[in-house]
Each structure stands twice: as C-alpha cells, then as structure tokens.
Amino acid sequence: MSLTGKITLVTGGGRGIGRAVSVLLASLGSKVIINYVNRAEAAEETAAQIKADGGQAGVVKFDVADAGQVQEAFRQIVKEEGHLDILVNNAGITRDGLLIKMKEEAWDAVLDTNLKGAFNCIKAVSRTMMKQRWGRIVNITSVIGFAGNAGQVNYAAAKAGLVGLTKSVAKELASRGITVNGVAPGYIETEMTGALPEEVTTAIKAGIPLGKLGRPEDVAAAVAYLVSGAADYVTGQVLHVNGGMYM
C-alpha cells in the first residue's frame, strides 16, 4: 500500500471525506496537494495535520467548475512537482429542493461542480498521466446516484453521471496504465449529516443493515486501496461504502 514518491491531488480535500482521504494517503507516503475554493482555513488545517504527522502536503485554490482555473492549477502543480500521479475527485456541493420548485441555478451549480468539475480535472491530468504511462483516478460518487433521493434530483443526476464518466474514461485510458474507479459512500458522519435532526438520523440508521453511519475514514480506506498497487488490475469499478443500505 506504499505511495512513497507519488504526488496526489484531492479536490475539496480540506474537510470531511476529503480530509480523511488526504490524511490517509499522506500517511502512506504520498505528497498530497489539497484543493479548496472557499474554505482556506480547513485546507491549511489539514495540511498542517499531515505535516505534524511527518507527511508532505500543500494547498492550492481553484474552482473545479472553471476549466481555465483547473488547467492553470494542474500546469503549475506539474511544473513544481515534476509529475502528478493520483487524482481524487471529491469536491461536491448540494442545493437540495423538490424538482417542481428547483431553480435552474441550483441545477447548474450542482452539475457544474459535482460532474463537470470531475471532467475538467480528469481532462487536465490525462495528458500528464498518459506521458507517465501510470496514473490513478478515483471519483467520489454517492449511493444517491444509484438509489435516487427525493429532493436531490440535481445531486443524484450528477453523482449518477460520475459513474458513467468513470467507466468511459477507464476504457479510454487503460492502455496507458491508468486506472479510473469510483467510490460511492452512503451516509457518512460529516458536517452535513451532523446537522440533521436526531429523528432523521435515527430513521436513516434504521435503513442501514449495519445500523450505523459510516466514518470518513471508511471511505478513505476504499480510496487508498484503489490507488495502491493492490488494485493494479481494477478499473472501471465503483466500490460501495454504505453499510449495506444499497446492494
């Protein structure tokens, strides 16, 4: 599982699942570049935690939905580091609401960040990985992209789209030694789920065979497997981390 010498970029890597992924991959030896767009303090805190634990980390600000910003950021990372080996597309937002009341802006914002953002980043890193003839890309999708959820048509569509993107890009890049996979978390203990009313959380747990919410570290472990040598023959797959709520 060693990632010594690898350079990793984690989008939205400062909080929640992104933070857990960043910390774990750094502990395995990779230098981790943590992307953020709004929460600079969270990204800096995660980088500081990694460094305190003896790892290497940096931070970079860009909006994944902006193709120009993405291209420039990736160009600069490769210029400074010499290579970029692992990309974890974790950045995502929600703008929940029933379809009949959803404004076009809410639809566009979620699709632009959650789906187009992954497309922008994959496109930006592909040429570098193809030249290296090695790369690992992991897209963080969601159980909602498979099961759907009332009030989240935009989020479900974006996360379902990530599955198709993952499988298609996996076929395009496989001949160059690049694997592309997804991880689909269920309900995970993050700021978002922490804000739910207790009765809602209780109802959610009742629908999970393991009877509990997952931890960000559970998702990070799945990512670590997919970017490691243990998963060299795994591509185009989505690993579900949801306690059995969707099978």
Side-chain angles (χ1 to χ4, degrees), residues 36-55:
Y36 72 96
V37 65
N38 292 317
R39 297 285 294 273
E41 68 281 2
E44 293 289 357
E45 286 172 4
T46 302
Q49 179 182 341
I50 288 171
K51 292 175 182 177
D53 291 339

Side-chain angles (χ1 to χ4, degrees), residues 122-207:
I122 293 171
K123 185 175 181 180
V125 81
S126 289
R127 194 172 300 277
T128 294
M129 289 184 173
M130 289 170 71
K131 289 180 180 179
Q132 298 170 175
R133 302 194 70 85
W134 196 95
R136 297 290 178 265
I137 299 171
V138 178
N139 299 317
I140 305 298
T141 177
S142 170
V143 65
I144 303 302
F146 290 85
N149 197 34
Q152 290 192 303
V153 293
N154 48 4
Y155 187 78
K159 292 300 188 177
L162 269 179
V163 176
L165 177 68
T166 297
K167 293 178 180 293
S168 297
V169 178
K171 290 186 175 183
E172 291 188 13
L173 299 182
S175 65
R176 299 301 182 96
I178 303 165
T179 67
V180 187
N181 292 288
V183 175
Y187 285 94
I188 306 298
E189 294 175 349
T190 62
E191 288 181 19
M192 188 183 304
T193 56
L196 294 173
E198 185 177 350
E199 60 271 20
V200 174
T201 302
T202 299
I204 290 171
K205 290 179 180 178

